Amino acid sequence: MIRSRYRDLAAVLAAVLLVVAAVVVGRRIEDSDHTLFVGWPPLVGAWDPHVGPGTPAAVALAVAVVAYGPGVAARLPWRALLWAAYGTALAWIWSLALIDGWQRGVVERLTTRFEYVPAVGRFHDIHAALQDFTHHILLHSPDNWPAHVAGHPPGAVLTFVLLDRIGLGGGGWAGAWCITAGASACVAVLVAVRALSGEGLARRAAPFLVLAPAAVWMGAAPDAYFAAVAAWSVAMLALAVTGRPAVWAAGSGLLFGLTCYLSYGLTLFALIGGAVLLLGRGRLRALPWLVAGAAVVPTAFTLAGFDWWEAYHLLVRRYYQGAGGIRPYAYWVWANLACTVLLIGLATVAGLRRAGGTLLRTRGRGLLDDDAGEARLAVLVGAAALALLTADLSGMSKAETERIWLPFVMWLLPAGAFLTGPRAWPVPRQAAFAPSRRPARSPAAPRAWEAAPSAAPAESPGTPGTTTSGRHTGSTHRTPLLDVRTLPAAALAAQAALALLANHLLLTGW
């Protein structure tokens, strides 16, 4: 355990040095060559220490989650935990966004000349606009689209067109939509982790998902909305391959198809989906439904006149016509990873180090065993890291990755579940491939911090009378998921401090 702590410390120190190097080298490049096109390398933003209406709420929420979040995650019934996680994540994102104020922190995020809302008026006839969409992607084309509209398939801008059609037009409603939808991404990740790796690991990951530093950039960012759609696609697939009805796979495919028409780069979520198929025994049953669902959105857009492949190739040309063609790849290929450190926090860095160690120890052996929950979580997190690294090496993600990579980052955050205290006792695991039942309510059930580590055989939380091997014992005794005294409160505090410092010291943007 001591050796593991030293390795964690080494990983954290390396991450800190990476960020420092990105700041120092980036500042020098920008001052001398002006080729980075960011205000505070490696982030888009400016040095602007400030407080705002969201400051008291953000600080109070951070303190509450650090102090009580792990205990609440251990005790709440599963469905209540999901609602609590969503509500807390939503409050965390809103409070961070409002540090910059309502106008600057929410409304103006999506109303600049680069954004979606100003383009809504050009979609009076949606069918005609889709047919003509590719003619306005290139920078020198007549009436070229704003940068973010041109840089994404039309599913992104159509979201805000449809909001406008139902009376929710303007930057305020657009920002509220992105925050409200984006906060649900953490719930989707919890659902997937529970289905694939067991409820104990999902509960341990919950505080890290809720209190993510990435929330600084999820406030009013369309990419937070994209992250939620992609995350629910993965969650539905996880349910489909672990014993739930195969129709969940059709829903997963439908959302994955939509994801590909929200952002070209999110086609890389196929890597994460592939990992989920690898980890589920029901993959052969789910695959036809997945493919059928995934065909719906592409077929609809193609019939409406939009050619995804043509648009993508035009986008690549547009990318190199602008700042993307000037920003130095040699800097951004590693500075993007420094941005990722600021998104996930140092606690997640340590968790990723442990996840990597778990992968090396298992090397893919016995992934479908009931007691291999940690190995399956490591594979899931590793698939997200692989997708992120692929995006990095492609050269199509030079800068602004604090926004662009939000969908991938959500799947790195569960690595926090690997951070357990030195006296932590084994966490009961859910039978990962059996549909869960609601826990029986027992007034005599012990509270999480009162039970002894030796209390009774480990049972699956949410499945009374079921051992970790899936055998029903008939008992309704519930053992605790984890001892809250061993949880890394300091790690959660570091996550919150990073988010609060970034939001109060920098005026972030994208």
Side-chain angles (χ1 to χ4, degrees), residues 3 54 66 210 244 248 304 330 338 374 398-399 414 463 505 510:
R3 182 178 297 177
V66 170
V210 165
R244 280 71 174 181
W248 282 105
E374 288 194 354
K398 296 197 288 284
T463 313
L505 297 179
W510 49 76

Side-chain angles (χ1 to χ4, degrees), residues 307-379:
D307 188 328
W308 192 97
W309 284 105
E310 178 189 7
Y312 173 72
H313 290 300
L314 290 171
L315 161 68
V316 174
R317 291 173 57 188
R318 166 75 181 255
Y319 182 77
Y320 286 101
Q321 286 177 339
I326 301 172
R327 285 170 169 157
Y329 179 85
Y331 171 76
W332 287 110
V333 73
W334 59 271
N336 284 338
L337 302 180
C339 284
T340 305
V341 171
L342 296 173
L343 283 168
I344 64 177
L346 297 178
T348 307
V349 170
L352 288 172
R353 203 282 308 167
R354 295 193 181 195
T358 299
L359 281 177
L360 290 176
R361 287 193 299 273
T362 60
R363 297 180 183 177
R365 295 191 299 267
L367 284 176
L368 299 184
D369 294 343
D370 286 343
D371 60 352
E374 288 194 354
R376 288 193 291 274
L377 178 58
V379 169

Side-chain angles (χ1 to χ4, degrees), residues 246-259:
V247 70
W248 282 105
S252 171
L254 184 67
L255 290 183
F256 177 68
L258 176 58
T259 298

Side-chain angles (χ1 to χ4, degrees), residues 39-412:
W40 200 84
L43 299 175
V44 177
W47 181 261
D48 181 21
H50 63 286
V51 295
T55 297
V59 173
L61 193 62
V63 171
V65 173
V66 170
Y68 302 108
V72 170
R75 296 194 303 271
L76 277 182
W78 176 250
R79 292 186 182 180
L81 174 60
L82 294 182
W83 282 108
Y86 175 69
T88 307
L90 187 64
W92 179 235
I93 298 170
W94 268 114
S95 61
L96 291 172
L98 291 175
I99 289 172
D100 297 332
W102 167 253
Q103 194 67 26
R104 189 168 68 169
V106 180
V107 176
E108 294 178 1
R109 294 288 188 178
L110 292 170
T111 56
T112 69
R113 62 189 179 92
F114 304 108
E115 286 293 349
Y116 300 98
V117 172
V120 166
R122 294 174 60 177
F123 283 80
H124 297 296
D125 185 334
I126 293 178
H127 185 222
L130 288 176
Q131 289 180 316
D132 198 41
F133 191 88
T134 56
H135 298 153
H136 305 286
I137 292 177
L138 294 178
L139 190 59
H140 303 299
S141 60
D143 297 322
N144 62 81
W145 295 116
H148 288 177
V149 177
H152 294 79
V157 67
L158 280 182
T159 299
F160 303 102
V161 171
L162 296 176
L163 284 174
D164 183 75
R165 293 284 176 89
I166 63 173
L168 303 180
W173 284 114
W177 166 261
C178 292
I179 294 173
T180 304
S184 72
C186 79
V187 180
V189 175
L190 288 175
V191 169
V193 171
R194 181 188 189 235
L196 295 170
S197 301
E199 191 169 311
L201 285 168
R203 288 177 181 267
R204 285 158 57 181
F208 293 95
L209 282 158
V210 165
L211 210 59
V216 172
W217 292 273
M218 293 181 77
D223 295 81
Y225 154 55
F226 305 162
V229 176
W232 281 110
S233 172
V234 175
M236 287 185 177
L237 184 58
L239 292 174
V241 300
T242 55
R244 280 71 174 181
V247 70
W248 282 105
S252 171
L254 184 67
L255 290 183
F256 177 68
L258 176 58
T259 298
C260 294
Y261 279 77
L262 293 173
S263 174
Y264 297 104
L266 295 187
T267 53
L268 289 172
F269 257 75
L271 293 173
I272 303 176
V276 173
L277 288 173
L278 174 69
L279 298 175
R281 290 173 177 161
R283 53 182 173 268
L284 295 179
R285 179 173 56 93
L287 193 57
W289 291 86
L290 176 67
V291 173
V296 173
V297 173
T299 299
F301 272 97
T302 301
L303 292 177
F306 173 72
D307 188 328
W308 192 97
W309 284 105
E310 178 189 7
Y312 173 72
H313 290 300
L314 290 171
L315 161 68
V316 174
R317 291 173 57 188
R318 166 75 181 255
Y319 182 77
Y320 286 101
Q321 286 177 339
I326 301 172
R327 285 170 169 157
Y329 179 85
Y331 171 76
W332 287 110
V333 73
W334 59 271
N336 284 338
L337 302 180
C339 284
T340 305
V341 171
L342 296 173
L343 283 168
I344 64 177
L346 297 178
T348 307
V349 170
L352 288 172
R353 203 282 308 167
R354 295 193 181 195
T358 299
L359 281 177
L360 290 176
R361 287 193 299 273
T362 60
R363 297 180 183 177
R365 295 191 299 267
L367 284 176
L368 299 184
D369 294 343
D370 286 343
D371 60 352
E374 288 194 354
R376 288 193 291 274
L377 178 58
V379 169
L380 186 64
V381 169
L386 178 61
L388 185 147
L389 290 173
T390 303
D392 187 33
L393 295 174
S394 73
M396 292 293 290
S397 294
K398 296 197 288 284
E400 304 180 48
T401 50
E402 62 267 34
R403 167 185 61 84
I404 298 170
W405 286 357
L406 283 173
F408 302 118
V409 162
M410 294 304 301
W411 294 93
L412 300 180

